[in-house]
Amino acid sequence: MWQRLLSAIVLGIFISDAATAQTVLKLGILGDQSGAYSAIGGQGSVVAAQMAVEDFRPSERGLKVEVVSGDHQNKPEIGVAFARQWFERDGVEAIFDVPSSSVALAVSDVAKEKNKALVVTGAGTADLTGPKCSPNTVHWAYDTVALANGTGSTMVKRGGDTWFFIAADYVFGQTLQRDTTAVVEKNGGKVIGSIKAPFPTADFSSYLQQARDSGARVIGLANSGADTINAVKQAGEQGISSKGQALAALLIYSSDVHTLGTKAAQGLVLTEPFYWDLNDATRAFSDRFAHQFGGKKPTSNQAAVYAGVMHYLRAVEALKSASDGAATVAKMKEMPADDPLFGKGEIRQDGRKIHDMYLFEVKQPSESKGEWDLYKLLSTISGHEAFRPVAEGGCPLVKGQAAKR
């Protein structure tokens, strides 16, 4: 009996020591859980992060990984409050997702101040890897330059040489309009007008009327999420496309197109870094994701959360620590960033994740074979053609260094 009791005590000590030896790592998914961007990230980003943790098998590597989430409500002050609490009190070492460019820029400053890691997948402003770059921030899926180089240049080449912008009146809309304007003008086009719409906006009728009256061949929507859905729907109701004007949704996700339906969205040209039906690897991941998320296919943002978490965890494993955020991000840049969802990739000195982008067109209803059969592929844009050259961004991290890309 005493021998059995002694064995039990020894076993208990062993288990306790093993549990103590296991490093606990907390990851924060900071997104829009209830507003205009909730469908592109929201709870789906949390599911994607949890899938990445599960696939990484942290217990086999001496790690215990916990995922927490928060709703920043698209307000920078709330995003900053979450970041400070997570970093200062709750032991979170890295934050992911962060749609809304104004929130992402604010949280990036906090991550640098607290020396934690930030992997932005939901925000678009290219300033995150330009003048506002940080040694603690990685910008994953897309940015405003890549969207402009894809959709903007294609629309001009198709004859859309005059543009009128309807832009969300905050950082993302302003940056997307700026970067698309540069591409339009570079390709011989001209911007003849623009208007800013409050974010969020439900009624775009007056803005669309001004765009129609301008006579521009292309109406550029520099917005996203529910705003884009509302604008595209109302443009259809006004019969804009039937009167010879084209609509360019400069950032639109598969979830948005699914909500609109192919009847309303058919013919839209768009640029994305990921589509669930792109290849065998994206289909396999998307089937798993849909099984866990009510049958919904992942957006490019949700796929990027998965990929970003996986790459971050590999860097932590290589360093055997997550305590130094800048060092972890440096290791992420050092390691190859190839993955099955985004293909071959790298993370540049300025924090920009480089991978191919894809130009799609929304299928006509007669072409679609199912609920989520939304896009047909027009072309593949190499990452180094899609994203801004590192030497042109104005990132202080690359000043005085030989910038080849």
Side-chain angles (χ1 to χ4, degrees):
M1 178 177 176
W2 285 106
Q3 287 179 329
R4 267 185 259 164
L5 181 59
L6 181 60
S7 296
I9 293 171
V10 171
L11 180 61
I13 292 172
F14 176 78
I15 292 172
S16 176
D17 286 346
T20 302
Q22 202 174 48
T23 303
V24 178
L25 176 61
K26 282 189 179 181
L27 310 179
I29 311 304
L30 184 57
D32 177 353
Q33 299 287 345
S34 56
Y37 299 149
S38 56
I40 67 177
Q43 191 59 31
S45 289
V46 179
V47 170
Q50 291 169 337
M51 287 175 64
V53 171
E54 178 184 342
D55 290 350
F56 186 72
R57 298 181 180 179
S59 61
E60 297 177 9
R61 294 169 162 85
L63 288 170
K64 181 180 179 183
V65 181
E66 297 178 7
V67 175
V68 299
S69 64
D71 183 358
H72 62 45
Q73 301 175 46
N74 296 307
K75 297 178 180 178
E77 64 274 18
I78 295 179
V80 165
F82 264 110
R84 288 196 177 279
Q85 177 176 322
W86 281 354
F87 290 153
E88 295 172 358
R89 294 169 41 193
D90 298 343
V92 170
E93 296 292 348
I95 290 176
F96 300 80
D97 196 1
V98 202
S100 188
S101 293
S102 55
V103 180
L105 288 167
V107 172
S108 181
D109 287 342
V110 179
K112 182 178 179 181
E113 176 191 337
K114 300 300 178 182
N115 195 22
K116 303 296 183 180
L118 172 65
V119 180
V120 176
T121 60
T125 178
D127 289 354
L128 281 163
T129 54
K132 301 294 185 179
C133 71
S134 163
N136 294 72
T137 297
V138 172
H139 197 184
W140 204 277
Y142 70 96
D143 64 24
T144 49
V145 170
L147 298 175
N149 283 333
T151 308
S153 63
T154 298
M155 296 300 289
V156 176
K157 291 171 184 175
R158 286 186 166 193
D161 56 358
T162 54
W163 284 62
F164 186 99
F165 286 98
I166 301 174
D169 192 12
Y170 80 110
V171 174
F172 168 70
Q174 296 160 10
T175 309
L176 185 52
Q177 179 180 335
R178 177 197 71 193
D179 293 339
T180 306
T181 295
V183 169
V184 168
E185 292 176 346
K186 181 180 178 181
N187 284 273
K190 182 180 180 181
V191 176
I192 62 175
S194 66
I195 191 168
K196 293 180 172 61
F199 171 75
T201 295
D203 185 1
F204 280 87
S205 57
S206 63
Y207 307 116
L208 289 165
Q209 185 61 54
Q210 291 183 60
R212 286 179 63 181
D213 293 344
S214 75
R217 291 186 176 180
V218 179
I219 300 172
L221 301 178
N223 51 20
S224 184
D227 279 14
T228 300
I229 292 170
N230 290 331
V232 173
K233 278 183 179 178
Q234 291 161 32
E237 291 165 0
Q238 291 190 19
I240 282 178
S241 60
S242 65
K243 292 178 172 60
Q245 289 178 299
L247 202 64
L250 294 165
L251 176 58
I252 190 166
Y253 288 85
S254 57
S255 58
D256 302 328
V257 175
H258 179 264
T259 298
L260 285 163
T262 52
K263 183 177 180 180
Q266 61 184 307
L268 278 178
V269 174
L270 57 107
T271 306
E272 287 237 49
F274 168 92
Y275 175 50
W276 75 268
D277 199 20
L278 195 59
N279 53 51
D280 289 343
T282 59
R283 282 188 285 271
F285 167 77
S286 299
D287 286 347
R288 288 179 53 216
F289 178 92
H291 182 71
Q292 297 187 39
F293 198 52
K296 297 177 182 178
K297 300 296 187 183
T299 64
S300 57
N301 178 33
Q302 291 158 348
V305 169
Y306 175 92
V309 169
M310 285 291 285
H311 193 62
Y312 171 82
L313 290 175
R314 292 190 187 107
V316 170
E317 180 187 22
L319 290 172
K320 297 181 172 53
S321 172
S323 61
D324 186 333
T328 307
V329 168
K331 177 59 69 172
M332 293 174 72
K333 294 176 182 178
E334 177 187 315
M335 299 169 67
D338 301 356
D339 70 75
L341 304 187
F342 293 85
K344 290 189 174 297
E346 63 175 308
I347 300 173
R348 297 189 313 201
Q349 293 170 321
D350 58 357
R352 176 68 258 164
K353 167 65 165 51
I354 302 297
H355 46 243
D356 290 347
M357 299 288 288
Y358 303 95
L359 194 68
F360 295 107
E361 183 175 319
V362 177
K363 290 183 174 182
Q364 296 178 13
S366 60
E367 297 174 304
S368 178
K369 297 177 181 178
E371 180 185 1
W372 288 93
D373 184 20
L374 305 171
Y375 298 166
K376 54 186 175 184
L377 179 64
L378 297 180
S379 63
T380 300
I381 310 167
S382 76
H384 297 300
E385 292 177 356
F387 294 99
R388 177 180 55 206
V390 69
E392 296 178 7
C395 171
L397 299 177
V398 297
K399 278 187 177 178
Q401 301 181 37
K404 296 181 180 179
R405 299 188 181 96

